[in-house]
Amino acid sequence: MKLEDLEISIEKTDRRKTVSIFIERDGSVKVLAPVTASDEKVEAAIKSKEYQIFSKIAKWKELNQGKVNRDFVNGQSFLYLGRNYRLKLIENQDVPLKISGGFFHLDKKYLAKADKVFKDFYREKALTKIQERLKLIEEKFTNKPKAIKVLELQNRWASWTPKNGLNFHWKCIMAPVSVLDYIIIHEMVHLKHPNHSTEFWNELDKKMPDFREHENWLKRNGVKMSL
């Protein structure tokens, strides 16, 4: 395989000073570059990092061997706050989906739209838990988020907006609380340092000295956080 065979998306933004290359969770290659960077400069940067790109793709393929394909059947496991809960199909339940007695209970009449029911459950629980954790975390920060949303963010766990809002993927609620805290703190630091600059990583290290442990957990287990 050659660079020419890869699907590479390029995004130019005024929030970047250097060219950075990322392998997204779906295995695609994304390039973030300054708006002032010429196409030739971006192409040269990609070419200079050819070895790193293919090394990261190989690592992505290795990690994706652990991907879980879930069916909505009795006994199937689903993640919630870092723990696996097996599914039980129930008759005439008071709500479409809930966790009870160490199991996910899904009302059978919602089976045809179980995917949406699970996503709605995760979104609701994620917003509540993130708001709860944020009350404890934001005491460490001067800059506070003006809005919190839980969305479908494709290949990102979370993102910040120029208006100081924070967006989180609904899948975040599948991670352990300590990892969720890392995701929140990572985005809180972005309110002060928009880019992944040296200042950003230094600030993150101050706010969460063991952040690498949680970052690595996401790299190892992120592929399992899906429906």
PDB file of all heavy atoms in Angstrom, residues 3 6 22 34 50 53 60 65 134 137 144 146 173 180 187 198 200 214 216 218-219 221 226:
ATOM      1  N   LEU A   3       0.918   5.813  -0.018  1.00  0.00           N
ATOM      2  CA  LEU A   3       0.169   6.971   0.457  1.00  0.00           C
ATOM      3  C   LEU A   3      -0.968   7.319  -0.494  1.00  0.00           C
ATOM      4  O   LEU A   3      -2.051   7.711  -0.070  1.00  0.00           O
ATOM      5  CB  LEU A   3       1.101   8.181   0.599  1.00  0.00           C
ATOM      6  CG  LEU A   3       1.898   8.303   1.905  1.00  0.00           C
ATOM      7  CD1 LEU A   3       2.841   9.492   1.823  1.00  0.00           C
ATOM      8  CD2 LEU A   3       0.976   8.434   3.101  1.00  0.00           C
ATOM      9  N   LEU A   6      -4.367   5.756   0.175  1.00  0.00           N
ATOM     10  CA  LEU A   6      -5.093   6.090   1.396  1.00  0.00           C
ATOM     11  C   LEU A   6      -6.102   7.203   1.150  1.00  0.00           C
ATOM     12  O   LEU A   6      -5.904   8.079   0.312  1.00  0.00           O
ATOM     13  CB  LEU A   6      -4.127   6.538   2.495  1.00  0.00           C
ATOM     14  CG  LEU A   6      -3.080   5.531   2.959  1.00  0.00           C
ATOM     15  CD1 LEU A   6      -2.172   6.177   4.000  1.00  0.00           C
ATOM     16  CD2 LEU A   6      -3.741   4.280   3.536  1.00  0.00           C
ATOM     17  N   PHE A  22      -3.480  12.521  12.124  1.00  0.00           N
ATOM     18  CA  PHE A  22      -4.136  11.630  13.069  1.00  0.00           C
ATOM     19  C   PHE A  22      -4.760  10.445  12.334  1.00  0.00           C
ATOM     20  O   PHE A  22      -5.218  10.580  11.197  1.00  0.00           O
ATOM     21  CB  PHE A  22      -5.245  12.364  13.834  1.00  0.00           C
ATOM     22  CG  PHE A  22      -4.783  13.599  14.554  1.00  0.00           C
ATOM     23  CD1 PHE A  22      -4.826  14.837  13.929  1.00  0.00           C
ATOM     24  CD2 PHE A  22      -4.302  13.522  15.845  1.00  0.00           C
ATOM     25  CE1 PHE A  22      -4.407  15.981  14.580  1.00  0.00           C
ATOM     26  CE2 PHE A  22      -3.877  14.658  16.513  1.00  0.00           C
ATOM     27  CZ  PHE A  22      -3.927  15.887  15.882  1.00  0.00           C
ATOM     28  N   PRO A  34      -2.464  24.612   9.439  1.00  0.00           N
ATOM     29  CA  PRO A  34      -2.788  26.043   9.547  1.00  0.00           C
ATOM     30  C   PRO A  34      -3.403  26.543   8.238  1.00  0.00           C
ATOM     31  O   PRO A  34      -3.083  26.036   7.160  1.00  0.00           O
ATOM     32  CB  PRO A  34      -1.417  26.700   9.782  1.00  0.00           C
ATOM     33  CG  PRO A  34      -0.501  25.595  10.198  1.00  0.00           C
ATOM     34  CD  PRO A  34      -1.021  24.362   9.533  1.00  0.00           C
ATOM     35  N   GLU A  50       5.307   9.529   6.302  1.00  0.00           N
ATOM     36  CA  GLU A  50       4.760   8.314   5.701  1.00  0.00           C
ATOM     37  C   GLU A  50       4.953   7.100   6.609  1.00  0.00           C
ATOM     38  O   GLU A  50       4.025   6.308   6.820  1.00  0.00           O
ATOM     39  CB  GLU A  50       5.417   8.057   4.343  1.00  0.00           C
ATOM     40  CG  GLU A  50       4.874   6.840   3.617  1.00  0.00           C
ATOM     41  CD  GLU A  50       5.447   6.688   2.216  1.00  0.00           C
ATOM     42  OE1 GLU A  50       6.255   7.552   1.808  1.00  0.00           O
ATOM     43  OE2 GLU A  50       5.075   5.717   1.532  1.00  0.00           O
ATOM     44  N   ILE A  53       2.641   7.223   9.594  1.00  0.00           N
ATOM     45  CA  ILE A  53       1.250   6.994   9.200  1.00  0.00           C
ATOM     46  C   ILE A  53       0.961   5.502   9.082  1.00  0.00           C
ATOM     47  O   ILE A  53      -0.014   4.991   9.643  1.00  0.00           O
ATOM     48  CB  ILE A  53       0.934   7.710   7.865  1.00  0.00           C
ATOM     49  CG1 ILE A  53       0.916   9.219   8.073  1.00  0.00           C
ATOM     50  CG2 ILE A  53      -0.407   7.234   7.301  1.00  0.00           C
ATOM     51  CD1 ILE A  53       0.805  10.013   6.787  1.00  0.00           C
ATOM     52  N   TRP A  60      -3.640   0.510  14.530  1.00  0.00           N
ATOM     53  CA  TRP A  60      -5.108   0.601  14.529  1.00  0.00           C
ATOM     54  C   TRP A  60      -5.722  -0.745  14.156  1.00  0.00           C
ATOM     55  O   TRP A  60      -6.693  -1.193  14.773  1.00  0.00           O
ATOM     56  CB  TRP A  60      -5.543   1.681  13.544  1.00  0.00           C
ATOM     57  CG  TRP A  60      -7.035   1.772  13.380  1.00  0.00           C
ATOM     58  CD1 TRP A  60      -7.909   2.477  14.149  1.00  0.00           C
ATOM     59  CD2 TRP A  60      -7.838   1.105  12.389  1.00  0.00           C
ATOM     60  NE1 TRP A  60      -9.198   2.299  13.702  1.00  0.00           N
ATOM     61  CE2 TRP A  60      -9.185   1.470  12.624  1.00  0.00           C
ATOM     62  CE3 TRP A  60      -7.538   0.259  11.323  1.00  0.00           C
ATOM     63  CZ2 TRP A  60     -10.219   1.002  11.823  1.00  0.00           C
ATOM     64  CZ3 TRP A  60      -8.579  -0.217  10.536  1.00  0.00           C
ATOM     65  CH2 TRP A  60      -9.900   0.155  10.788  1.00  0.00           C
ATOM     66  N   GLN A  65      -8.882  -5.647  16.124  1.00  0.00           N
ATOM     67  CA  GLN A  65      -9.176  -7.080  16.164  1.00  0.00           C
ATOM     68  C   GLN A  65     -10.096  -7.403  17.345  1.00  0.00           C
ATOM     69  O   GLN A  65     -10.755  -8.434  17.360  1.00  0.00           O
ATOM     70  CB  GLN A  65      -7.875  -7.878  16.276  1.00  0.00           C
ATOM     71  CG  GLN A  65      -7.026  -7.827  15.012  1.00  0.00           C
ATOM     72  CD  GLN A  65      -5.703  -8.561  15.151  1.00  0.00           C
ATOM     73  OE1 GLN A  65      -5.396  -9.097  16.222  1.00  0.00           O
ATOM     74  NE2 GLN A  65      -4.921  -8.589  14.089  1.00  0.00           N
ATOM     75  N   LEU A 134     -18.466  17.105  36.260  1.00  0.00           N
ATOM     76  CA  LEU A 134     -17.980  18.442  35.948  1.00  0.00           C
ATOM     77  C   LEU A 134     -18.034  19.359  37.165  1.00  0.00           C
ATOM     78  O   LEU A 134     -17.154  20.209  37.363  1.00  0.00           O
ATOM     79  CB  LEU A 134     -18.797  19.040  34.803  1.00  0.00           C
ATOM     80  CG  LEU A 134     -18.269  20.312  34.149  1.00  0.00           C
ATOM     81  CD1 LEU A 134     -16.849  20.105  33.626  1.00  0.00           C
ATOM     82  CD2 LEU A 134     -19.188  20.745  33.018  1.00  0.00           C
ATOM     83  N   ILE A 137     -14.900  18.657  38.926  1.00  0.00           N
ATOM     84  CA  ILE A 137     -13.687  18.926  38.158  1.00  0.00           C
ATOM     85  C   ILE A 137     -13.456  20.415  37.913  1.00  0.00           C
ATOM     86  O   ILE A 137     -12.325  20.902  37.987  1.00  0.00           O
ATOM     87  CB  ILE A 137     -13.737  18.178  36.805  1.00  0.00           C
ATOM     88  CG1 ILE A 137     -13.608  16.672  37.051  1.00  0.00           C
ATOM     89  CG2 ILE A 137     -12.666  18.651  35.839  1.00  0.00           C
ATOM     90  CD1 ILE A 137     -13.908  15.813  35.839  1.00  0.00           C
ATOM     91  N   LYS A 144     -14.710  28.253  32.489  1.00  0.00           N
ATOM     92  CA  LYS A 144     -15.824  27.321  32.661  1.00  0.00           C
ATOM     93  C   LYS A 144     -16.585  27.160  31.336  1.00  0.00           C
ATOM     94  O   LYS A 144     -16.716  28.116  30.567  1.00  0.00           O
ATOM     95  CB  LYS A 144     -16.802  27.830  33.721  1.00  0.00           C
ATOM     96  CG  LYS A 144     -16.155  28.350  34.998  1.00  0.00           C
ATOM     97  CD  LYS A 144     -15.529  27.259  35.827  1.00  0.00           C
ATOM     98  CE  LYS A 144     -15.016  27.824  37.152  1.00  0.00           C
ATOM     99  NZ  LYS A 144     -14.314  26.833  37.965  1.00  0.00           N
ATOM    100  N   LYS A 146     -19.690  27.050  28.828  1.00  0.00           N
ATOM    101  CA  LYS A 146     -20.967  27.757  28.817  1.00  0.00           C
ATOM    102  C   LYS A 146     -22.128  26.829  28.458  1.00  0.00           C
ATOM    103  O   LYS A 146     -23.287  27.159  28.709  1.00  0.00           O
ATOM    104  CB  LYS A 146     -20.906  28.925  27.833  1.00  0.00           C
ATOM    105  CG  LYS A 146     -19.948  30.023  28.279  1.00  0.00           C
ATOM    106  CD  LYS A 146     -19.978  31.212  27.338  1.00  0.00           C
ATOM    107  CE  LYS A 146     -19.058  32.323  27.834  1.00  0.00           C
ATOM    108  NZ  LYS A 146     -19.049  33.487  26.905  1.00  0.00           N
ATOM    109  N   ILE A 173     -20.074   7.375  28.036  1.00  0.00           N
ATOM    110  CA  ILE A 173     -20.663   6.781  29.236  1.00  0.00           C
ATOM    111  C   ILE A 173     -20.333   5.296  29.349  1.00  0.00           C
ATOM    112  O   ILE A 173     -20.550   4.671  30.386  1.00  0.00           O
ATOM    113  CB  ILE A 173     -22.202   7.001  29.268  1.00  0.00           C
ATOM    114  CG1 ILE A 173     -22.778   6.774  30.675  1.00  0.00           C
ATOM    115  CG2 ILE A 173     -22.888   6.122  28.237  1.00  0.00           C
ATOM    116  CD1 ILE A 173     -22.289   7.722  31.705  1.00  0.00           C
ATOM    117  N   LEU A 180     -13.726   8.777  31.990  1.00  0.00           N
ATOM    118  CA  LEU A 180     -14.654   9.861  31.678  1.00  0.00           C
ATOM    119  C   LEU A 180     -14.113  11.178  32.224  1.00  0.00           C
ATOM    120  O   LEU A 180     -14.178  12.216  31.554  1.00  0.00           O
ATOM    121  CB  LEU A 180     -16.034   9.559  32.272  1.00  0.00           C
ATOM    122  CG  LEU A 180     -17.131  10.602  32.030  1.00  0.00           C
ATOM    123  CD1 LEU A 180     -17.386  10.791  30.542  1.00  0.00           C
ATOM    124  CD2 LEU A 180     -18.419  10.195  32.748  1.00  0.00           C
ATOM    125  N   GLU A 187     -10.908  18.258  27.644  1.00  0.00           N
ATOM    126  CA  GLU A 187     -11.645  19.326  26.971  1.00  0.00           C
ATOM    127  C   GLU A 187     -11.645  20.613  27.788  1.00  0.00           C
ATOM    128  O   GLU A 187     -11.630  21.713  27.214  1.00  0.00           O
ATOM    129  CB  GLU A 187     -13.079  18.879  26.685  1.00  0.00           C
ATOM    130  CG  GLU A 187     -13.187  17.694  25.742  1.00  0.00           C
ATOM    131  CD  GLU A 187     -12.406  17.885  24.452  1.00  0.00           C
ATOM    132  OE1 GLU A 187     -12.439  19.009  23.877  1.00  0.00           O
ATOM    133  OE2 GLU A 187     -11.748  16.923  24.012  1.00  0.00           O
ATOM    134  N   THR A 198       2.505  22.432  23.333  1.00  0.00           N
ATOM    135  CA  THR A 198       3.274  22.052  24.522  1.00  0.00           C
ATOM    136  C   THR A 198       2.601  22.578  25.780  1.00  0.00           C
ATOM    137  O   THR A 198       2.537  21.889  26.808  1.00  0.00           O
ATOM    138  CB  THR A 198       4.709  22.612  24.432  1.00  0.00           C
ATOM    139  OG1 THR A 198       5.342  22.082  23.265  1.00  0.00           O
ATOM    140  CG2 THR A 198       5.518  22.233  25.661  1.00  0.00           C
ATOM    141  N   PHE A 200      -0.550  23.074  26.195  1.00  0.00           N
ATOM    142  CA  PHE A 200      -1.729  22.246  26.472  1.00  0.00           C
ATOM    143  C   PHE A 200      -1.342  21.003  27.268  1.00  0.00           C
ATOM    144  O   PHE A 200      -1.944  20.693  28.308  1.00  0.00           O
ATOM    145  CB  PHE A 200      -2.407  21.824  25.168  1.00  0.00           C
ATOM    146  CG  PHE A 200      -3.461  20.749  25.357  1.00  0.00           C
ATOM    147  CD1 PHE A 200      -4.756  21.086  25.684  1.00  0.00           C
ATOM    148  CD2 PHE A 200      -3.136  19.395  25.241  1.00  0.00           C
ATOM    149  CE1 PHE A 200      -5.718  20.101  25.883  1.00  0.00           C
ATOM    150  CE2 PHE A 200      -4.086  18.407  25.444  1.00  0.00           C
ATOM    151  CZ  PHE A 200      -5.389  18.771  25.761  1.00  0.00           C
ATOM    152  N   HIS A 214      -5.180   6.836  31.311  1.00  0.00           N
ATOM    153  CA  HIS A 214      -6.563   6.860  30.825  1.00  0.00           C
ATOM    154  C   HIS A 214      -6.610   7.016  29.304  1.00  0.00           C
ATOM    155  O   HIS A 214      -7.489   6.440  28.645  1.00  0.00           O
ATOM    156  CB  HIS A 214      -7.324   7.987  31.507  1.00  0.00           C
ATOM    157  CG  HIS A 214      -7.221   7.944  33.008  1.00  0.00           C
ATOM    158  ND1 HIS A 214      -7.588   6.837  33.724  1.00  0.00           N
ATOM    159  CD2 HIS A 214      -6.753   8.843  33.900  1.00  0.00           C
ATOM    160  CE1 HIS A 214      -7.369   7.063  35.017  1.00  0.00           C
ATOM    161  NE2 HIS A 214      -6.861   8.265  35.137  1.00  0.00           N
ATOM    162  N   ASN A 216      -4.399   5.792  27.286  1.00  0.00           N
ATOM    163  CA  ASN A 216      -4.073   4.454  26.763  1.00  0.00           C
ATOM    164  C   ASN A 216      -5.247   3.494  26.907  1.00  0.00           C
ATOM    165  O   ASN A 216      -5.435   2.605  26.064  1.00  0.00           O
ATOM    166  CB  ASN A 216      -2.841   3.902  27.485  1.00  0.00           C
ATOM    167  CG  ASN A 216      -1.566   4.615  27.071  1.00  0.00           C
ATOM    168  OD1 ASN A 216      -1.469   5.125  25.959  1.00  0.00           O
ATOM    169  ND2 ASN A 216      -0.579   4.667  27.957  1.00  0.00           N
ATOM    170  N   LEU A 218      -8.346   4.267  26.549  1.00  0.00           N
ATOM    171  CA  LEU A 218      -9.214   4.557  25.409  1.00  0.00           C
ATOM    172  C   LEU A 218      -8.655   3.972  24.117  1.00  0.00           C
ATOM    173  O   LEU A 218      -9.407   3.453  23.285  1.00  0.00           O
ATOM    174  CB  LEU A 218      -9.382   6.074  25.254  1.00  0.00           C
ATOM    175  CG  LEU A 218     -10.398   6.747  26.185  1.00  0.00           C
ATOM    176  CD1 LEU A 218     -10.320   8.263  26.036  1.00  0.00           C
ATOM    177  CD2 LEU A 218     -11.800   6.259  25.906  1.00  0.00           C
ATOM    178  N   LYS A 219      -7.336   4.036  23.948  1.00  0.00           N
ATOM    179  CA  LYS A 219      -6.725   3.480  22.748  1.00  0.00           C
ATOM    180  C   LYS A 219      -6.925   1.972  22.674  1.00  0.00           C
ATOM    181  O   LYS A 219      -7.158   1.417  21.606  1.00  0.00           O
ATOM    182  CB  LYS A 219      -5.246   3.834  22.715  1.00  0.00           C
ATOM    183  CG  LYS A 219      -4.962   5.296  22.436  1.00  0.00           C
ATOM    184  CD  LYS A 219      -3.456   5.575  22.451  1.00  0.00           C
ATOM    185  CE  LYS A 219      -3.174   7.056  22.167  1.00  0.00           C
ATOM    186  NZ  LYS A 219      -1.725   7.365  22.208  1.00  0.00           N
ATOM    187  N   ASN A 221      -9.311   0.151  24.398  1.00  0.00           N
ATOM    188  CA  ASN A 221     -10.689  -0.318  24.569  1.00  0.00           C
ATOM    189  C   ASN A 221     -11.737   0.473  23.778  1.00  0.00           C
ATOM    190  O   ASN A 221     -12.898   0.079  23.744  1.00  0.00           O
ATOM    191  CB  ASN A 221     -11.072  -0.266  26.052  1.00  0.00           C
ATOM    192  CG  ASN A 221     -10.210  -1.178  26.896  1.00  0.00           C
ATOM    193  OD1 ASN A 221     -10.419  -2.388  26.928  1.00  0.00           O
ATOM    194  ND2 ASN A 221      -9.230  -0.608  27.580  1.00  0.00           N
ATOM    195  N   SER A 226     -19.057   0.418  21.486  1.00  0.00           N
ATOM    196  CA  SER A 226     -19.956   0.601  20.340  1.00  0.00           C
ATOM    197  C   SER A 226     -21.179  -0.290  20.510  1.00  0.00           C
ATOM    198  O   SER A 226     -21.230  -1.149  21.393  1.00  0.00           O
ATOM    199  CB  SER A 226     -19.219   0.224  19.046  1.00  0.00           C
ATOM    200  OG  SER A 226     -18.825  -1.132  19.080  1.00  0.00           O
TER     201      SER A 226
END
